[in-house]
Amino acid sequence: MDAGTTQILCFFVNGKKVTENHADPETMLLSYLREKLRLTGTKYGCGGGGCGACTVMVSRYQPGTKTTLHYSANACLLPVCQLHGAAVTTVEGIGSTKTRLHPVQERIAKAHGSQCGFCTPGMVMSMYSLLRSRPQPTLEDITEALAGNLCRCTGYRPIVDGCKTFCQESNCCQANGNAGCCLNEKETIDEPEHVMPQLFDKDEFLPVDPTQELIFPPELILMAEKQPQHMQTFQGERMTWMSPVSLEELVQLKASHPRAPLVLGNTSIGPDIKFKGVLHPVIISPTRVEDLFEVTQTPQGVWVGAGCSLSGVRSVLEGLVKQLSHEKTELFRALIHQLATMGGQQIRNVATLGGNIVSAYPNSDLNPVLAAGNCKLSVISNGGRREIRLNQDFFVGFGKTALKPEDIVISVFIPVSRKGELVRAYRQAPRKENALATVTTGMRVVFSEGSGVVQELSIYYGGVGPCTVSATKTCTAITGRPWDDQTLSQAYDVLLEELALPPSAPGGKVEFRRSLMLSLLFKFNLEVQQKLREMNVIPEDLSDRMQSGIQPLPNQIQASRQEFQNVSEGQSDQDPVGRPIMHRSALSQATGEAVYCDDIPSTEGELFMVVVTSTRPHARILELDVSQSLRVPGVVDVITWKDIPGKKTRTFCGYEEELLAEKEVLCVGQMVCAVVADSRVHAKRGAAVVKISYEDLPDPVFTVEEAIERKSFFEPHRVIERGNVMEAFKSVDQIYEGGIHLGGQEHFYMETQSMVVVPVGEEREFKVHVSCQAPTFTQEAVAETLAVPSNRVTCHVKRIGGAFGGKVTKTTILACITSVAAWKTDRAVRCVLERGEDMLITGARHPVLGKYKVGFMKDGRIMAADIQYYANAGSTADESTLVTEKILLHVDNAYNIPNLRGQSVACRTNLPSNTAFRGFGVPQSIMVVESMLNDVAMVLGRPAEEIREVNMYRGPSITHYKFEFDPENLLRCWEECKAKSNYSTRRTAISQFNQHNCWKKRGMAIVPIKYGIAFSEGFLNQAAALVHIYKDGSVLVSHGGAEMGQGVHTKIQQVVSRELCIPSSQIYISETSTNIVPNTCPSAASFGTDANGMAVKNACQILYQRLEPIRKHNPGGSWESWVSKAFFQKISLSATGFYRGPDLYMDWEKMEGQAFAYFTYGACCSEVELDCLTGDYRTVRTDIVVDIGRSINPSVDIGQIEGAFLQGLGLYTMEQLKFSPSGVLYTRGPSQYKIPAICDVPLQFNVYLLADSDNPHAIYSSKGIGEPIVALGSSAFYAIKGAVAAARVESGLVGPFSLDSPATPERACLACATPFTQKIPDSQPGSFKPWALNI
């Protein structure tokens, strides 16, 4: 067939045939599903295969074995052109609320594993794909299948709990809601005998019925078996896709198009096209060339087809490990070790062995092992076949190999190992799974029988140069010599000299990477010593202390507890308040039916908007040239500041912020203009060719230190003091000065900023559908921008796919720009930011520098403290000064310090403006205070919990801003946390563990929290609601709260059910809309249920009161009959409710006020195990006790607690924003920025809600819980610091030491000061330009 002819693409989606006559090679399955097929259950989360939100199942028929292969894949990386003959299953295809739920959908929902719900369809499909391959999976199978899926809301525990009900071992009570477990009998033996309430009952779940699954389409089986295969060609706007069938066709195509990449998994080429703008005019996709998938076993090893997926390679190697003797499978096992954590399951299912090798990434996991293992490639081109050895000559530079452009790798030979041979692979990565390695290595040594003399040695590293590198000189220094400490000691020096890494090397972390080179070689040394002992070459076993260097960190998930109080005995069964009710939208979210902003169907003529941002940190705009952009096909217009008909700025904290830059840009990422086109693709292309000419302005400011030096601040500079700090310093036993630096944190809500603005077409009216926490705020801003009254703009929020404070100010600015585009074009305009744009533009949690001077007595009592906070606000004020105020209001945390002074200021820098984030400054404030107490403990040589305890508030107390409160429940949480966590016993066990282990250390910390709830600005605490009762008895509720996963709609539904005495099934909440409930306040400050719940309660009481005469007249009547009677008696069945809220205030001049409605208290104990050689750690156990009064919904509240803790764990131990020296954000997606994944959940994760607690200040005696627990993630940080302190003792170092947050593996490893880190010379600051700034 003529290669130039475009053919028909045929595949199936959810059992329905899809034929595409004009498939564009640049179209990915995700956009095809969402835009062409209107299957919006599959979500866009990152576009790069890093978050799992777009997971689908792909099924292919294998004619050779007559079987069907099912596997999960990322739809965002799957070109539609590659799907010929495949069957795709999306979340809509496995079940729905209209027909029948699939058990996976049901169990994730009913186990409370869906909060905002945006990640849920991806989770469902990962689990579903696993069940199609393994109907009875193990817990390990489940965590592996979900490792490629990220969730920002739940903390993962409920997702795993729901999924593990599919395990064979699920008859254990662990799987049944986890209230308690037979495995924990030792711990519960003394507890009174009573049945604890459970979060869910697995006995109610639908059974798994494989006969109900979609069958593989028979038409595709016939097509695969009978239909002759021909080469396919698909022609797009800019790219041609060619799919050959035979090896001969492939060779000819590659000879004709030597620069055309070969695409099978698209996990490397795809991201390059999407994120780097690389354009390939021709792509060759040899997915149907069978020669690339053949596996041939020989006595010398195995030839594995270069087209085999990494999952397939692992499966082949695991089969050989079972089949062959142990000594022959050294290399196979080393490769399996690397493959287990490489990427997520979805990536491993499509990424290929050949692609991984040829991509030649510098930090490749496989290449160092393959090279060290003497593997070779079978290569073909027009010139014939040849074999190439994988060695130092093969990798020639960044992304470059010795292959010629026309070469095609057919297969890879992996040899069996021989007697006396040892092969090991090691890697260190920012996250334990699904993360690109920092340093990776493959090491192979051969000894002759009975000898300890090294016969052959091969060591390769990734991540320490532009490509995979060989430590040739190091190997030469060891070869021929006995493997002993003397030989190795010299080898470390040779290695450091041989593989030098300049201090400004790309990727940064230079000292850490150099240290890892040594410590990974030392790990190999320990394994070699073990091997030599097995060979009887050396007499002594490796000591237990030394063995800790090669023991893996614990990874077995344990049974966890979620304890909460049952409802009182007298409570009606119909009253849902206090019961663990499933999130009201959980089932819709699990089936993909839940509608998010970008799921709203396009209207006719709708346009898409892409913003153009500044590339300079501080510069004057000389010219904005949009002429080239306007010539791009599909581009309709370009919006600049001149097009704004009304107000061109927004005012935050007294400072103006431009919607679109006019004359000057203040940071990289500031919005300058916006391109509007007929499609997302065309708008993006138009934005790429906008030309902006700049004149750089001198001396941009990036860091807090630079801002302090130049006095670059936003006013006001706040100070608060009680007692006399300076006088108190004169009478204390000791004074210590210290500080800590906290990095920022990206919100990483799963749904990026999204909005659709629709001109109604009459009297300048606009409908704004927006993913926003503050719809009224957005309404007012759009109205002012368009110069229309607020009554012409209605803002609609159905649900938000996560927000965490990040969808208030920047969302409003984006909505204003989008509304200008809709106003100017008179067409609906959609704006959905890509993940990288979102991370660049919208700011993050404020990085903070905390400094303190503390005076204390020998018994640990702190008598005086002077604490200064410097927050990096970024280029505009946003809400930064409010954040710095809240920082000071929590400067005491849980401690009664008689003489206390706090100062805080927002630093003005040339970085994207930082904004509100869950906790609003409190996580930073408390971290600095806890660092101070920790340092006091280290100075005195006492456990930190003793210092915390001796300084806690006790009895009737007053805060530093003269707010009276009773800390009884704070102390109860603390004592209960110590008891539930078995603190003192475990503290002793940890001490013994650390004595017996040299290279693994454990640490444990317990931290309290006293968190103020509600807005300090009293007017923000008001709320309103509108409740309608319809004639059939059904109830429609509207209120001002936005549902973003925190369960506010679910709790409101419970409130209505109680107040009207009707079942929840009769109550519906549609959306949050400004034309129904006006003048609402933002859903923030953990006050959403408190305020809106009271407003709804008020409305319901008014209605119930109106019905009272009818109820009295007919007490035995039904709800429906009462409602009907009321209608005929002309009684209004609609009522507005209002809640005034507490009159809170803070007088900063007098340094006093009623800043909060009440406090939420808690305490958290975390234990970690740290690998001192790599800095990797595992949270072994976390126990959290929280006082939330009487929980309205324990399942929602426990979900909020777990999710907040894990977000805090990310903040304090993992998540790092990296900026270039010129202020460019490097970390713009999940491949560079790591949030916690399933592998980061504490292995035992216990949550206890404090029993018998009341709160007269909130609805039904409940408490706000959305934000407080983030700060308790610091318990993991201080546990890591404790483990590091134990490691430092091995090097003779005691006393306070610096460890900034987050305590990443890099920081923890370097702080351990092992002999290997001490070998690394310090790079002198100022002598080089660092790769990244320390923000």
Side-chain angles (χ1 to χ4, degrees), residues 67-88:
T67 56
T68 304
L69 179 68
H70 305 290
Y71 58 90
S72 59
N74 295 117
C76 67
L77 290 180
L78 210 53
V80 284
C81 291
Q82 217 169 46
L83 290 171
H84 189 69
V88 173

Side-chain angles (χ1 to χ4, degrees), residues 896-915:
N896 189 4
I897 300 170
N899 302 283
L900 175 65
R901 179 165 60 211
Q903 302 174 64
S904 68
V905 65
C907 299
R908 188 177 208 151
T909 62
N910 295 109
L911 293 178
S913 179
N914 291 312
T915 189

Side-chain angles (χ1 to χ4, degrees), residues 775-854:
T776 292
F777 190 44
T778 304
Q779 174 198 26
E780 290 168 353
V782 168
E784 287 183 4
T785 302
L786 299 181
V788 299
S790 288
N791 62 6
R792 306 298 164 84
V793 178
T794 58
C795 229
H796 304 266
V797 181
K798 182 76 174 173
R799 60 172 54 80
I800 306 172
F804 315 113
K807 290 183 176 175
V808 182
T809 55
K810 285 297 185 290
T811 313
T812 298
I813 288 175
L814 280 161
C816 290
I817 300 167
T818 311
S819 69
V820 172
W823 171 80
K824 189 180 179 190
T825 60
D826 203 27
R827 288 158 76 175
V829 177
R830 185 177 301 247
C831 176
V832 178
L833 294 190
E834 292 193 345
R835 178 63 62 185
E837 294 172 327
D838 194 299
M839 292 182 74
L840 175 68
I841 293 167
T842 61
R845 189 188 294 281
H846 292 73
V848 166
L849 171 63
K851 296 180 177 180
Y852 43 81
K853 180 180 179 182
V854 57

